Amino acid sequence: MSVKTKPQDRNEQLIRRLYHLAEATSKDTQKFVALFADGGYFYDVAGGKKYYGSDIGLTVDVYAAAFPDMHRELDSFYFDDNVVIVELSLNGTHKGDLAMPAERFPRRERKCTRRAVMSSI
């Protein structure tokens, strides 16, 4: 196991803060959006859409509406200079419609866990 450098530690803490702001229990969409660099974007690969500026906050709000108890478990971090890869799971109960760019998924009232990989540059 290698020791993290200061920049790697800083980047990990930034990503942890970002996801904390998207949690159901601590959601703050404006602060979430403010953590993105000018020109930065959120790419929802599953939805096939990139979000820029204040629209980045839609990703937090849409998932919070569909999964009001959403929790993201950050499992592993990998670093390559300023690139951060995170293995995570998204966990919650599907209690509201999930409005994706291509279609709307009606609520299912089921607990869901989805594995995901996120990268940040």
Side-chain angles (χ1 to χ4, degrees):
M1 183 170 146
S2 63
V3 176
K4 282 187 290 192
T5 65
K6 285 183 181 183
Q8 289 171 337
D9 187 55
R10 182 192 70 235
N11 287 340
E12 179 178 335
Q13 294 311 311
L14 177 65
I15 297 300
R16 288 187 181 282
R17 176 78 177 136
L18 184 76
Y19 277 109
H20 173 76
L21 293 169
E23 290 288 294
T25 57
S26 54
K27 183 172 96 61
D28 189 324
T29 303
Q30 287 182 328
K31 287 182 181 178
F32 180 88
V33 171
L35 288 177
F36 282 77
D38 289 340
Y41 61 89
F42 184 101
Y43 183 26
D44 181 353
V45 176
K49 184 171 180 179
K50 289 182 182 178
Y51 297 86
Y52 295 88
S54 63
D55 285 348
I56 291 169
L58 294 173
T59 62
V60 173
D61 296 338
V62 163
Y63 280 94
F67 300 91
D69 60 346
M70 175 63 74
H71 169 66
R72 293 154 180 88
E73 188 67 37
L74 308 182
D75 299 319
S76 300
F77 285 78
Y78 305 93
F79 304 94
D80 185 16
D81 291 325
N82 279 332
V83 176
V84 182
I85 307 292
V86 183
E87 290 182 85
L88 68 145
S89 63
L90 295 96
N91 311 282
T93 309
H94 192 183
K95 292 184 173 252
D97 291 349
L98 177 58
M100 299 295 285
E103 65 184 294
R104 179 177 295 273
F105 297 92
R107 72 175 188 216
R108 301 266 189 186
E109 296 294 334
R110 295 182 188 159
K111 290 218 175 260
C112 298
T113 297
R114 297 290 180 257
R115 300 289 307 152
V117 175
M118 186 278 306
S119 65
S120 172
I121 301 173

